[in-house]
Amino acid sequence: MSDQFDAFLASAWDEHADRPEAVADRLAASLRLVQHPSQVPRYAALLTHVYGEHLGDWPGGVASLRSLGELPAAGASADAANAVARNIAALRHVAGEPLDDAALAPDGRIAALATAASICAGRQAHAQALAAYARALRDAEAGLPAGSPALRALAVGGNNLAAALEEKTDRDPHETAGMVEAARSALKYWTLAGTWLEVERAEYRLARSLLEAGDAAAAIGAAQRCIDGCARHDAPPFERFFGAAALALAQRAAGDRAAFEAARDSARACFEQVPADEQPACGADLQELAD
């Protein structure tokens, strides 16, 4: 059953962006696949993402999460039950309801806020996303226990918020400052909760946010750390391409033509080694490297 669950969830993640309604229907109709408490948080995360960010169907998402919470697997573990509760809280917060602080542990509330921020960012509700994420960061200042789900939620929320704001062409100073804070926070929390790959990608995200904020010198530092992380872990060409591209763009913004050309040539060399099926994802960065 575990293999069937894993295959189902992987297929749903692969298809959800193109067919969110169909995936939502499949998720709601396939709860029987959830047999173990460890599967509950993963199912809840996808339910929340699809119903929240892609469909904007808060009531439907809450109803599906409640059905998930009624399963024996959810009732057999406090972690599983808490995962359902914090995702319900996140959807309700996005819908405009205040968080019920009494219903969640402190780190559950932080995770709910960070998840709400990620959903709002994906739906271009930037002000609501910034407010939710700022509150999550404030609440997390006292520290979080190792292994807390809030650590990963803060990392994901910061990354998604920064990426969304980078694409906003009419950012105001508050949004620009929030973008950089989100990118820095994503790096901080990926360092605590993620793998080297997630940390390396967070350095790339920070470099891009700093570039958007006009801080080329700091962007160079973040891009170089991304490249260094790739080197330490023998990263594939796909990862090395993005680090070199970010460094090239930062060097160009700093006015160093020679350094730009060297990093650009490195990025292009990496791109030539990227498998054909991965190359389309490099297209936007590659185009930016043109003179």
Side-chain angles (χ1 to χ4, degrees):
M1 183 62 75
S2 177
D3 290 345
Q4 184 180 2
F5 175 86
D6 291 343
F8 173 83
L9 219 61
S11 174
W13 274 114
D14 286 344
E15 298 175 19
H16 83 280
D18 295 327
R19 304 174 61 231
E21 295 90 352
V23 170
D25 290 343
R26 283 166 54 196
L27 286 167
S30 302
L31 293 173
R32 69 187 185 283
L33 296 176
V34 182
Q35 298 287 319
H36 191 274
S38 65
Q39 297 170 336
V40 173
R42 296 168 59 196
Y43 210 91
L46 182 53
L47 274 171
T48 302
H49 177 72
V50 172
Y51 278 96
E53 184 171 332
H54 289 275
L55 298 180
D57 181 3
W58 331 127
V62 169
S64 291
L65 285 165
R66 282 178 172 162
S67 295
L68 177 64
E70 293 171 357
L71 296 177
S77 161
D79 287 344
N82 289 338
V84 173
R86 65 176 175 267
N87 279 286
I88 288 174
L91 287 179
R92 285 177 166 172
H93 190 69
V94 173
E97 297 181 32
L99 287 180
D100 182 359
D101 290 348
L104 296 169
D107 66 335
R109 182 180 66 248
I110 293 166
L113 285 166
T115 300
S118 187
I119 293 170
C120 291
R123 296 187 65 78
Q124 299 184 346
H126 300 113
Q128 190 177 0
L130 282 165
Y133 195 67
R135 182 179 168 190
L137 290 178
R138 287 196 302 271
D139 289 352
E141 286 177 357
L144 291 163
S148 169
L151 295 169
R152 186 175 182 87
L154 285 163
V156 172
N159 176 83
N160 292 352
L161 178 54
L165 287 169
E166 285 171 24
E167 296 178 357
K168 193 172 189 290
T169 58
D170 59 345
R171 281 188 317 272
D172 61 31
H174 171 70
E175 290 170 330
T176 297
M179 172 186 67
V180 173
E181 181 181 39
R184 289 193 186 281
S185 298
L187 175 59
K188 171 184 175 179
Y189 286 104
W190 277 130
T191 301
L192 294 171
T195 64
W196 73 265
L197 181 63
E198 288 157 332
V199 172
E200 170 257 309
R201 290 181 174 182
E203 292 283 17
Y204 167 82
R205 178 87 287 130
L206 177 57
R208 296 307 303 249
S209 288
L210 288 165
L211 270 175
E212 287 293 326
D215 192 344
I220 289 171
Q224 187 60 59
R225 291 192 299 272
C226 175
I227 291 170
D228 292 345
C230 287
R232 283 194 303 273
H233 296 280
D234 194 23
F238 181 82
E239 301 298 329
R240 291 187 282 113
F241 165 78
F242 285 102
L247 181 60
L249 296 172
Q251 295 285 14
R252 182 167 65 188
D256 190 333
R257 181 70 187 181
F260 159 67
E261 291 178 350
R264 178 196 60 191
D265 291 347
S266 177
R268 287 174 172 172
C270 290
F271 177 76
E272 292 301 320
Q273 301 175 54
V274 173
D277 63 332
E278 295 180 349
Q279 287 187 353
C282 305
D285 287 56
L286 192 66
Q287 187 172 2
E288 286 185 81
L289 296 176
D291 288 328

